[in-house]
Amino acid sequence: MNSKVLVAVALVGVVVLGLVRYLGDSAAGPDAMVSTASHIARARAATYFEDGKYADARRELAPLVEGSSVTPQDLLSAAAVEFHDVQYEAAEALLERIEAEAPRSPGSHYIRGRMNRARGDYEAAERSFRIAHEEAPGDLPSAISLAMVLSEMGETDEQIEANLREAEELLRAVLEVGVDFGGSWYVTAAYRLHRISIEQQRDPEVTQRYSDLWRQLSAQDYKSVTEQDLDKGSFAVV
Protein backbone atom coordinates (compact mmCIF):
# COMPACT_ATOMS: atom_id res chain seq x y z
CA MET A 1 0.00 0.00 0.00
CA ASN A 2 1.58 3.29 -1.12
CA SER A 3 1.82 6.46 0.90
CA LYS A 4 -1.07 8.21 -0.88
CA VAL A 5 -3.41 5.36 -0.04
CA LEU A 6 -2.26 5.37 3.58
CA VAL A 7 -2.99 9.08 3.86
CA ALA A 8 -6.43 8.59 2.32
CA VAL A 9 -7.25 5.78 4.74
CA ALA A 10 -6.13 7.91 7.68
CA LEU A 11 -8.31 10.82 6.57
CA VAL A 12 -11.34 8.56 6.22
CA GLY A 13 -10.67 7.24 9.70
CA VAL A 14 -10.61 10.75 11.13
CA VAL A 15 -13.87 11.64 9.38
CA VAL A 16 -15.58 8.46 10.57
CA LEU A 17 -14.39 8.98 14.14
CA GLY A 18 -15.67 12.54 14.09
CA LEU A 19 -19.01 11.38 12.74
CA VAL A 20 -19.32 8.71 15.41
CA ARG A 21 -18.59 11.25 18.14
CA TYR A 22 -21.06 13.70 16.65
CA LEU A 23 -23.80 11.06 16.41
CA GLY A 24 -22.99 9.95 19.93
CA ASP A 25 -23.42 13.47 21.27
CA SER A 26 -26.60 13.93 19.27
CA ALA A 27 -28.04 10.66 20.56
CA ALA A 28 -27.24 11.71 24.11
CA GLY A 29 -29.52 14.68 23.59
CA PRO A 30 -29.32 18.38 24.47
CA ASP A 31 -28.02 17.74 27.99
CA ALA A 32 -24.74 16.39 26.61
CA MET A 33 -24.40 19.37 24.28
CA VAL A 34 -25.06 21.78 27.17
CA SER A 35 -22.52 19.95 29.31
CA THR A 36 -19.89 20.28 26.57
CA ALA A 37 -20.66 23.99 26.18
CA SER A 38 -20.33 24.45 29.95
CA HIS A 39 -16.93 22.76 30.01
CA ILE A 40 -15.75 24.98 27.17
CA ALA A 41 -17.02 28.11 28.94
CA ARG A 42 -15.21 27.14 32.14
CA ALA A 43 -11.98 26.50 30.28
CA ARG A 44 -12.21 29.84 28.48
CA ALA A 45 -13.00 31.63 31.74
CA ALA A 46 -9.95 30.06 33.39
CA THR A 47 -7.70 31.21 30.56
CA TYR A 48 -9.08 34.75 30.65
CA PHE A 49 -8.74 34.83 34.44
CA GLU A 50 -5.07 33.85 34.34
CA ASP A 51 -4.48 36.61 31.78
CA GLY A 52 -6.19 39.16 34.03
CA LYS A 53 -9.05 39.63 31.55
CA TYR A 54 -11.77 39.65 34.16
CA ALA A 55 -14.53 41.10 31.99
CA ASP A 56 -14.05 38.26 29.51
CA ALA A 57 -13.96 35.66 32.30
CA ARG A 58 -17.14 37.17 33.74
CA ARG A 59 -18.86 36.94 30.35
CA GLU A 60 -17.98 33.25 29.99
CA LEU A 61 -19.20 32.39 33.48
CA ALA A 62 -22.42 34.45 33.34
CA PRO A 63 -24.60 31.80 31.61
CA LEU A 64 -23.43 29.20 34.12
CA VAL A 65 -24.03 31.41 37.15
CA GLU A 66 -27.45 32.44 35.89
CA GLY A 67 -28.47 28.93 34.82
CA SER A 68 -30.65 26.50 36.72
CA SER A 69 -27.86 23.90 37.04
CA VAL A 70 -25.22 26.23 38.49
CA THR A 71 -22.64 24.46 40.66
CA PRO A 72 -20.99 25.76 43.86
CA GLN A 73 -17.68 25.80 41.99
CA ASP A 74 -19.16 27.99 39.26
CA LEU A 75 -20.30 30.45 41.92
CA LEU A 76 -16.90 30.36 43.61
CA SER A 77 -15.13 30.94 40.30
CA ALA A 78 -17.41 33.89 39.55
CA ALA A 79 -16.80 35.29 43.04
CA ALA A 80 -13.04 34.96 42.49
CA VAL A 81 -13.34 36.97 39.28
CA GLU A 82 -15.27 39.75 41.04
CA PHE A 83 -12.84 39.77 43.97
CA HIS A 84 -9.77 40.10 41.76
CA ASP A 85 -11.55 42.79 39.72
CA VAL A 86 -12.21 44.62 43.04
CA GLN A 87 -15.97 44.33 42.55
CA TYR A 88 -16.60 43.43 46.17
CA GLU A 89 -20.37 43.90 46.20
CA ALA A 90 -20.78 41.52 43.28
CA ALA A 91 -18.43 39.06 44.99
CA GLU A 92 -20.43 39.31 48.24
CA ALA A 93 -23.67 38.48 46.42
CA LEU A 94 -22.11 35.33 44.95
CA LEU A 95 -20.60 34.28 48.27
CA GLU A 96 -24.00 34.64 49.92
CA ARG A 97 -25.44 32.24 47.37
CA ILE A 98 -22.71 29.71 48.19
CA GLU A 99 -23.17 30.07 51.93
CA ALA A 100 -26.93 29.68 51.66
CA GLU A 101 -26.20 26.02 50.87
CA ALA A 102 -22.81 25.65 52.58
CA PRO A 103 -22.45 28.18 55.43
CA ARG A 104 -18.87 27.11 56.20
CA SER A 105 -17.57 26.79 52.66
CA PRO A 106 -13.76 27.16 52.99
CA GLY A 107 -13.49 28.72 49.55
CA SER A 108 -16.17 31.28 50.24
CA HIS A 109 -14.65 32.24 53.57
CA TYR A 110 -11.14 32.44 52.13
CA ILE A 111 -12.31 35.02 49.61
CA ARG A 112 -14.21 36.86 52.36
CA GLY A 113 -11.06 36.89 54.44
CA ARG A 114 -9.01 38.41 51.64
CA MET A 115 -11.66 41.06 50.98
CA ASN A 116 -11.97 41.94 54.66
CA ARG A 117 -8.21 42.19 55.02
CA ALA A 118 -8.05 44.50 52.02
CA ARG A 119 -10.70 46.66 53.68
CA GLY A 120 -8.68 46.78 56.89
CA ASP A 121 -11.26 44.79 58.88
CA TYR A 122 -8.85 42.39 60.55
CA GLU A 123 -11.36 40.95 63.00
CA ALA A 124 -13.73 39.94 60.21
CA ALA A 125 -10.78 38.63 58.20
CA GLU A 126 -9.64 36.53 61.16
CA ARG A 127 -13.10 34.99 61.53
CA SER A 128 -13.26 34.11 57.85
CA PHE A 129 -9.73 32.70 57.65
CA ARG A 130 -10.37 30.67 60.79
CA ILE A 131 -13.41 29.02 59.24
CA ALA A 132 -11.48 28.35 56.03
CA HIS A 133 -8.64 26.79 58.05
CA GLU A 134 -10.97 24.71 60.20
CA GLU A 135 -12.86 23.39 57.18
CA ALA A 136 -9.69 22.80 55.12
CA PRO A 137 -6.92 22.22 57.69
CA GLY A 138 -4.50 20.99 55.06
CA ASP A 139 -4.80 24.13 52.95
CA LEU A 140 -1.54 26.03 53.36
CA PRO A 141 -2.77 29.43 52.06
CA SER A 142 -5.59 29.41 54.63
CA ALA A 143 -3.15 28.62 57.46
CA ILE A 144 -0.68 31.28 56.30
CA SER A 145 -3.41 33.90 55.88
CA LEU A 146 -4.81 33.22 59.35
CA ALA A 147 -1.32 33.41 60.86
CA MET A 148 -0.59 36.69 59.08
CA VAL A 149 -3.77 38.40 60.20
CA LEU A 150 -3.34 37.15 63.78
CA SER A 151 0.17 38.61 63.90
CA GLU A 152 -1.30 42.01 63.02
CA MET A 153 -4.04 41.97 65.67
CA GLY A 154 -4.31 42.72 69.37
CA GLU A 155 -4.82 45.80 71.52
CA THR A 156 -3.14 44.74 74.76
CA ASP A 157 0.22 43.05 75.30
CA GLU A 158 -1.59 39.90 76.40
CA GLN A 159 -3.74 39.80 73.27
CA ILE A 160 -0.79 40.46 71.00
CA GLU A 161 1.26 37.72 72.63
CA ALA A 162 -1.60 35.20 72.47
CA ASN A 163 -2.19 35.98 68.80
CA LEU A 164 1.51 35.66 67.99
CA ARG A 165 1.74 32.33 69.79
CA GLU A 166 -1.17 30.99 67.76
CA ALA A 167 0.36 32.38 64.57
CA GLU A 168 3.63 30.63 65.36
CA GLU A 169 1.82 27.34 65.91
CA LEU A 170 0.11 27.66 62.52
CA LEU A 171 3.39 28.52 60.80
CA ARG A 172 5.23 25.60 62.42
CA ALA A 173 2.52 23.28 61.11
CA VAL A 174 3.22 24.58 57.59
CA LEU A 175 6.93 23.79 58.04
CA GLU A 176 6.03 20.20 58.92
CA VAL A 177 4.93 19.49 55.34
CA GLY A 178 8.44 20.20 54.04
CA VAL A 179 9.68 22.52 51.34
CA ASP A 180 9.17 19.99 48.53
CA PHE A 181 5.43 19.98 49.17
CA GLY A 182 4.99 23.42 50.69
CA GLY A 183 7.06 25.36 48.17
CA SER A 184 6.70 29.12 48.52
CA TRP A 185 4.17 28.67 51.34
CA TYR A 186 6.85 26.84 53.33
CA VAL A 187 9.32 29.64 52.61
CA THR A 188 6.81 32.25 53.77
CA ALA A 189 6.19 30.35 57.01
CA ALA A 190 9.95 30.13 57.63
CA TYR A 191 10.42 33.85 57.01
CA ARG A 192 7.58 34.91 59.28
CA LEU A 193 8.78 32.62 62.09
CA HIS A 194 12.25 34.12 61.62
CA ARG A 195 10.86 37.67 61.92
CA ILE A 196 8.59 36.91 64.91
CA SER A 197 11.45 35.23 66.77
CA ILE A 198 13.68 38.27 66.30
CA GLU A 199 11.05 40.93 66.99
CA GLN A 200 9.63 39.16 70.06
CA GLN A 201 13.07 38.12 71.35
CA ARG A 202 12.22 34.45 71.52
CA ASP A 203 14.62 31.82 72.88
CA PRO A 204 18.03 32.44 71.25
CA GLU A 205 18.36 28.83 70.08
CA VAL A 206 14.94 28.92 68.44
CA THR A 207 15.70 32.28 66.84
CA GLN A 208 19.02 30.97 65.54
CA ARG A 209 17.35 27.88 64.09
CA TYR A 210 14.82 29.94 62.12
CA SER A 211 17.51 32.40 61.05
CA ASP A 212 19.66 29.54 59.74
CA LEU A 213 16.68 28.03 57.92
CA TRP A 214 15.82 31.35 56.30
CA ARG A 215 19.40 31.94 55.17
CA GLN A 216 19.56 28.42 53.76
CA LEU A 217 16.36 28.89 51.77
CA SER A 218 17.50 32.30 50.52
CA ALA A 219 20.85 30.88 49.42
CA GLN A 220 19.00 28.25 47.39
CA ASP A 221 16.93 30.99 45.73
CA TYR A 222 13.62 29.92 47.23
CA LYS A 223 10.98 32.67 47.18
CA SER A 224 8.17 33.65 49.52
CA VAL A 225 4.64 34.00 48.21
CA THR A 226 3.55 37.32 46.75
CA GLU A 227 0.46 39.30 47.65
CA GLN A 228 -1.06 38.05 44.40
CA ASP A 229 -0.36 34.47 45.48
CA LEU A 230 -2.13 35.16 48.76
CA ASP A 231 -5.12 36.69 46.97
CA LYS A 232 -5.48 33.56 44.86
CA GLY A 233 -4.63 30.95 47.46
CA SER A 234 -6.20 27.61 46.59
CA PHE A 235 -9.75 28.85 46.31
CA ALA A 236 -9.87 32.33 44.74
CA VAL A 237 -9.14 31.03 41.26
CA VAL A 238 -11.09 29.88 38.21
Side-chain angles (χ1 to χ4, degrees), residues 178-198:
V179 69
D180 290 339
F181 178 80
S184 294
W185 302 103
Y186 177 99
V187 178
T188 298
Y191 173 74
R192 296 195 72 84
L193 282 166
H194 162 67
R195 294 306 310 167
I196 291 173
S197 294
I198 292 174

Side-chain angles (χ1 to χ4, degrees), residues 110 129 138-146 185 229-230 232-235:
Y110 187 86
F129 287 138
D139 182 59
L140 302 185
S142 295
I144 292 285
S145 292
L146 177 56
W185 302 103
D229 294 329
L230 285 162
K232 287 183 175 180
S234 302
F235 299 113

Side-chain angles (χ1 to χ4, degrees), residues 41 44-46 48-49 53-66 77-87 90-91 94 238:
R44 287 176 175 168
Y48 285 133
F49 175 82
K53 297 178 180 178
Y54 302 127
D56 292 324
R58 182 184 296 112
R59 185 188 65 247
E60 293 291 343
L61 291 171
L64 303 177
V65 171
E66 296 164 4
S77 294
V81 169
E82 302 301 349
F83 162 58
H84 286 282
D85 201 27
V86 200
Q87 302 299 314
L94 291 159
V238 176

Side-chain angles (χ1 to χ4, degrees), residues 37-187:
S38 297
H39 287 310
I40 292 172
R42 292 184 184 106
R44 287 176 175 168
T47 299
Y48 285 133
F49 175 82
E50 288 302 319
D51 291 340
K53 297 178 180 178
Y54 302 127
D56 292 324
R58 182 184 296 112
R59 185 188 65 247
E60 293 291 343
L61 291 171
L64 303 177
V65 171
E66 296 164 4
S68 59
S69 58
V70 61
T71 68
Q73 185 57 54
D74 290 333
L75 292 173
L76 192 62
S77 294
V81 169
E82 302 301 349
F83 162 58
H84 286 282
D85 201 27
V86 200
Q87 302 299 314
Y88 290 173
E89 288 187 9
E92 288 275 5
L94 291 159
L95 297 179
E96 287 173 4
R97 290 177 62 185
I98 296 170
E99 292 165 16
E101 300 295 329
R104 291 177 63 85
S105 162
S108 180
H109 282 283
Y110 187 86
I111 293 176
R112 280 194 184 281
R114 296 305 301 173
M115 287 196 300
N116 287 326
R117 189 175 187 278
R119 291 165 170 159
D121 190 344
Y122 287 83
E123 291 185 2
E126 183 268 333
R127 289 193 297 270
S128 293
F129 287 138
R130 189 174 296 281
I131 292 174
H133 176 62
E134 289 173 353
E135 295 300 312
D139 182 59
L140 302 185
S142 295
I144 292 285
S145 292
L146 177 56
M148 290 178 70
V149 78
L150 281 168
S151 67
E152 297 166 336
M153 292 176 61
E155 296 181 0
T156 66
D157 290 342
E158 291 77 9
Q159 289 175 337
I160 293 171
E161 179 64 16
N163 287 340
L164 286 172
R165 290 293 184 184
E166 184 179 0
E168 288 173 299
E169 183 177 348
L170 289 162
L171 296 170
R172 284 193 294 270
V174 173
L175 291 189
E176 290 177 3
V177 307
V179 69
D180 290 339
F181 178 80
S184 294
W185 302 103
Y186 177 99
V187 178

